[in-house]
Amino acid sequence: KAGVTQTPRYLIKTRGQQVTLSCSPISGHRSVSWYQQTPGQGLQFLFEYFSETQRNKGNFPGRFSGRQFSNSRSEMNVSTLELGDSALYLCASSLASGRGGYTFGSGTRLTVV
Amino acid sequence: ILNVEQSPQSLHVQEGDSTNFTCSFPSSNFYALHWYRWETAKSPEALFVMTLNGDEKKKGRISATLNTKEGYSYLYIKGSQPEDSATYLCAFPFGNAGGTSYGKLTFGQGTILTVHP
């Protein structure tokens, strides 16, 4: 079966711009989580969506937002980009949160210049 | 602040060596403990999800144990091979205020394993 698909794979944006990243989960998976990975901070939780509702949120500023559609696909948006937003953004999906393992996508590498 | 700690930070072993690393997590309100393997240029891959104290899981040459009372898990690799070189991450799902969702994984910093031929 198809894995978790993230688009685009690479992105270069200018400081102050906004960006939208997309994640298509494994068919049937209703939970989608987003993570930011930077060399200094490791993998940091952004938010989790389940059935179009945000159920958990990490400690990120309001410039980071997300949503989930009825087909479970999810998008995350970062407005007013800062240099420090340069990172690998991973999404992960699962059937139900917590007990089961998560399947990760390959990530979107965002570079802010 | 609830922390997940992993040690050592990095490890270099020779092909054929057996190795192990540790993940420490909060022992209260335990729900589950995840292990992932993350190879360079790939996605993190789920190895184990452990839920019961005393649990021991095995996948080929890799196994893991869990002690929820003292808050630690060990990951063992028997007869390491160069293809085992990766970052091994453990993650602890924290619940939301209502306790009905545990979709927030807090990851340790990982153990970087390098297996030399």
Side-chain angles (χ1 to χ4, degrees):
Chain A
K1 59 183 177 182
V4 177
T5 304
Q6 289 189 248
T7 56
R9 289 296 306 275
Y10 302 93
L11 207 48
I12 299 176
K13 288 287 188 179
T14 303
R15 192 170 44 182
Q17 287 186 312
Q18 74 163 11
V19 67
T20 300
L21 312 181
S22 178
C23 173
S24 294
I26 288 175
S27 178
H29 283 193
R30 295 165 65 190
S31 170
V32 175
S33 304
W34 289 88
Y35 294 84
Q36 180 196 64
Q37 199 254 353
T38 56
Q41 296 297 316
L43 272 169
Q44 301 287 313
F45 173 80
L46 281 155
F47 24 67
E48 183 225 2
Y49 287 88
F50 185 87
S51 294
E52 301 178 66
T53 301
Q54 186 183 87
R55 293 203 299 188
N56 283 285
K57 191 176 188 308
N59 296 323
F60 278 81
R63 301 184 296 106
F64 290 81
S65 63
R67 59 177 175 169
Q68 187 180 34
F69 301 95
S70 58
N71 61 357
S72 293
R73 189 177 73 85
S74 177
E75 289 181 346
M76 68 163 278
N77 183 278
V78 188
S79 62
T80 320
L81 284 165
E82 299 177 0
L83 296 179
D85 297 333
S86 295
L88 177 68
Y89 291 89
L90 290 168
C91 84
S93 75
S94 76
L95 282 168
S97 63
R99 287 278 181 181
Y102 286 79
T103 303
F104 282 82
S106 298
T108 294
R109 172 74 63 183
L110 172 65
T111 302
V112 182
V113 297
Chain B
I1 297 177
L2 300 173
N3 286 324
V4 179
E5 305 284 344
Q6 289 189 248
S7 62
Q9 193 171 15
S10 65
L11 203 50
H12 290 257
V13 301
Q14 291 297 127
E15 182 175 354
D17 287 350
S18 292
T19 187
N20 66 85
F21 9 100
T22 306
C23 172
S24 300
F25 53 85
S27 56
S28 59
N29 298 318
F30 178 82
Y31 187 69
L33 191 282
H34 297 216
W35 280 101
Y36 291 86
R37 174 171 59 198
W38 195 357
E39 296 177 69
T40 302
K42 294 188 178 180
S43 318
E45 172 199 359
L47 288 173
F48 306 112
V49 177
M50 310 187 75
T51 55
L52 298 175
N53 185 42
D55 221 357
E56 182 170 345
K57 298 210 171 186
K58 191 174 179 183
K59 185 177 183 178
R61 294 178 290 98
I62 304 176
S63 60
T65 60
L66 178 69
N67 183 322
T68 61
K69 295 186 190 308
E70 296 182 34
Y72 64 83
S73 176
Y74 293 138
L75 189 79
Y76 301 92
I77 302 179
K78 184 178 176 182
S80 302
Q81 299 297 308
E83 57 265 31
D84 295 329
S85 296
T87 298
Y88 290 82
L89 295 161
C90 67
F92 190 81
F94 288 100
N96 66 1
T100 58
S101 156
Y102 291 85
K104 176 181 176 179
L105 286 180
T106 294
F107 283 85
Q109 291 295 311
T111 293
I112 303 169
L113 174 67
T114 305
V115 182
H116 299 278

